[in-house]
Amino acid sequence: MSAHNSHDVLRRDPRAEWIARNRLHPLHGSVVSADMGEVRGPTGLLRKNPHKVGFIGPNGIKRIDRLKGNAAGAGKGRRSSAAQDIQLPLHQVENPDFYVVVVPDMVGGRLTAHDKDVIGQAHKLIAGAEGKGAVLAVCFGQSKEEHFDTAGVDRLLLLEDEYYEGYCPEQRLAALVQVESAYKPLFWLFPDSVNGGSDLGSRLAARIGERPAVQAWLVDSDTSVCRGAGGTTDITRSTPRLLMLAEECADPIDETRHEALPVELDLVPAVIAQLQDRGQVAVDPNAISLAEAEFILSAGNGIHNWDQFHSAAAVLGATEGASRVAVDDGFMPRFRQVGATGTWVTARVYLAVGISGAIQHMQGIGQCDKVIAINTDAGCDMVKRAALSVIGDSEAILGELIKLAEDFRAQQSAGGDRDAA
């Protein structure tokens, strides 16, 4: 215990310090909780006691205190974690002097990782310019995104009319030309991707007379470094108004929350569409190579009912993949193997069933956007990597998944028949 002399000088208590270091001592808990013992290293330097950091949550699990002492009170009487109480600082831009317009791909109605990189680059350009700037995101089609604010969007123009659904580059180009006239943005940013960003950016560049920078990966307000010759060389040039950016061009926004204020613009749909989107062509998912597949259902050693696995892939419309164990055992062909020793995949959704997650497999799915794991082992590496995990028997879970998918398809068919009638 700490002692004081007549002059109120704090003195060390070697016994209390020894108890604080000894977790097996019966008085360890009381000494640490009362903050009576300091932990010093063999050289006498004061060290942070790792056993003191954090607090015990309502379910008995020790948690790290990220609220600097306020988490213990916040965690009492409820099961929510202390991290949920943390509110990111709000970044506001009132009456911006200029805009940087970002046109994200919005694949599936949500911001992709590439889109978020581009928004991060927009904020870097604003930081290097004079005056107050705001990021204006122009999004086409039906939006399912709920986190424009944490992605870094200051102003949001949602064009969700059916007029802009599907592949309609002429209509979208006409809308962007009107945005150019209304806002006079300092920069136009597009993701340089096959999902529409490079095509739409090229059309707008030709319309407004700008020579764009393509595959740009290192950009500031003065110079841009772009990949050329198939990525084997870098080309440095002055930064134009319109840029088509490569993936990982900048860090995404993750430490601030932005307003994402909706804006309205009276657009004149004056374009007569010469190209009409007739919808997606039905394609056998297994005819798509693993390297190009967007949705992969992958099987591992935990699959025992292979007929059910193939049925699940067919019902879900997923391309089949497999771990090395499943391939070596002869259940799947070699060209279906995912991993460093097979095919590196970049799927938007990777559903791993019964795969524990060997290091070679984890390397092969490193660029996948969302990983979902079905496994009986809650501590395996695949579950740790996954954004969503389901712990249980794979056969029972796949059976329920097939049933839900079939019911959903039946409801869609019934709704279509009623509309036709």
Side-chain angles (χ1 to χ4, degrees):
M1 301 179 186
S2 299
H4 296 264
N5 60 12
S6 58
H7 298 288
D8 290 332
V9 177
L10 185 64
R11 300 174 62 188
R12 291 176 54 190
D13 187 342
R15 182 173 182 274
E17 295 176 9
W18 175 75
I19 294 175
R21 291 194 300 267
N22 187 359
R23 299 178 63 193
L24 300 180
H25 196 282
L27 297 179
H28 171 78
S30 60
V31 169
V32 172
S33 61
D35 199 18
M36 294 187 296
E38 296 178 336
V39 177
R40 294 182 180 269
T43 60
L45 294 177
L46 185 66
R47 303 176 64 184
K48 179 182 288 186
N49 185 356
H51 308 299
K52 180 184 170 185
V53 177
F55 66 100
I56 303 299
N59 55 0
I61 298 176
K62 187 170 184 177
R63 295 174 176 170
I64 299 298
D65 184 359
R66 301 190 188 280
L67 295 183
K68 302 187 183 301
N70 297 320
K76 292 181 179 178
R78 59 181 180 178
R79 300 186 64 85
S80 61
S81 66
Q84 292 176 337
D85 296 330
I86 298 177
Q87 189 76 7
L88 293 174
L90 179 62
H91 175 82
Q92 293 178 298
V93 183
E94 296 182 1
N95 302 320
D97 299 323
F98 62 90
Y99 291 91
V100 174
V101 176
V102 174
V103 186
D105 284 332
M106 295 289 289
V107 177
R110 293 184 174 86
L111 292 172
T112 66
H114 196 173
D115 294 336
K116 294 178 181 179
D117 294 341
V118 174
I119 294 174
Q121 178 63 66
H123 282 283
K124 285 182 61 178
L125 290 172
I126 289 175
E130 295 182 359
K132 297 186 301 181
V135 174
L136 169 63
V138 181
C139 303
F140 294 101
Q142 202 68 27
S143 173
K144 302 176 184 177
E145 181 61 53
E146 299 178 353
H147 302 291
F148 284 109
D149 54 347
T150 54
V153 176
D154 299 312
R155 302 291 188 271
L156 179 62
L157 177 58
L158 278 179
L159 303 177
E160 297 182 294
D161 299 338
E162 293 183 359
Y163 191 70
Y164 300 108
E165 289 285 350
Y167 181 69
C168 51
E170 296 164 323
Q171 292 94 316
R172 295 187 180 191
L173 176 60
L176 295 183
V177 169
Q178 294 176 67
V179 172
E180 162 75 13
S181 176
Y183 288 95
K184 298 291 190 299
L186 186 64
F187 294 102
W188 281 94
L189 304 186
F190 294 81
D192 197 345
S193 70
V194 297
N195 298 314
S198 58
D199 175 70
L200 190 56
S202 300
R203 290 172 183 268
L204 180 62
R207 180 62 61 89
I208 65 177
E210 286 287 339
R211 177 172 171 257
V214 300
Q215 279 295 303
W217 65 273
L218 184 60
V219 177
D220 59 31
S221 56
D222 296 323
T223 59
S224 301
V225 181
C226 308
R227 296 191 178 110
T232 60
T233 187
D234 286 334
I235 301 172
T236 302
R237 55 166 296 192
S238 58
T239 300
R241 281 188 65 219
L242 195 148
L243 299 110
M244 289 184 278
L245 298 158
E247 291 184 89
E248 301 181 357
C249 56
D251 293 329
I253 301 299
D254 60 355
E255 296 183 352
T256 54
R257 182 169 51 91
H258 296 247
E259 295 177 287
L261 293 177
V263 298
E264 295 183 359
L265 185 63
D266 293 330
L267 299 177
V268 180
V271 176
I272 300 175
Q274 298 177 356
L275 298 174
Q276 295 184 356
D277 188 352
R278 294 301 212 181
Q280 294 183 345
V281 177
V283 177
D284 181 7
N286 284 326
I288 303 172
S289 66
L290 280 174
E292 299 177 354
E294 292 191 348
F295 181 20
I296 298 176
L297 178 66
S298 197
N301 197 37
I303 290 292
H304 304 292
N305 188 342
W306 285 94
D307 291 337
Q308 182 195 53
F309 172 79
H310 297 311
S311 299
V315 171
L316 296 173
T319 303
E320 294 183 3
S323 67
R324 180 173 181 173
V325 175
V327 171
D328 288 345
D329 290 344
F331 293 111
M332 294 286 280
R334 183 64 62 183
F335 68 87
R336 291 291 174 200
Q337 181 179 329
V338 176
T341 55
T343 302
W344 296 66
V345 296
T346 57
R348 288 175 52 211
V349 178
Y350 185 80
L351 178 52
V353 186
I355 300 176
S356 60
I359 182 62
Q360 295 87 352
H361 196 93
M362 304 303 286
Q363 290 173 341
I365 65 172
Q367 296 298 317
C368 291
D369 190 13
K370 299 295 182 184
V371 175
I372 302 172
I374 299 176
N375 210 295
T376 56
D377 182 7
C380 68
D381 290 337
M382 184 62 72
V383 170
K384 295 175 182 178
R385 164 70 172 83
L388 174 65
S389 300
V390 184
I391 308 302
D393 179 66
S394 62
E395 187 170 346
I397 295 171
L398 283 181
E400 187 64 24
L401 188 59
I402 291 172
K403 181 178 180 299
L404 290 173
E406 290 176 341
D407 292 344
F408 179 75
R409 295 270 178 88
Q411 291 176 2
Q412 281 190 322
S413 299
D417 293 342
R418 285 195 298 269
D419 293 340

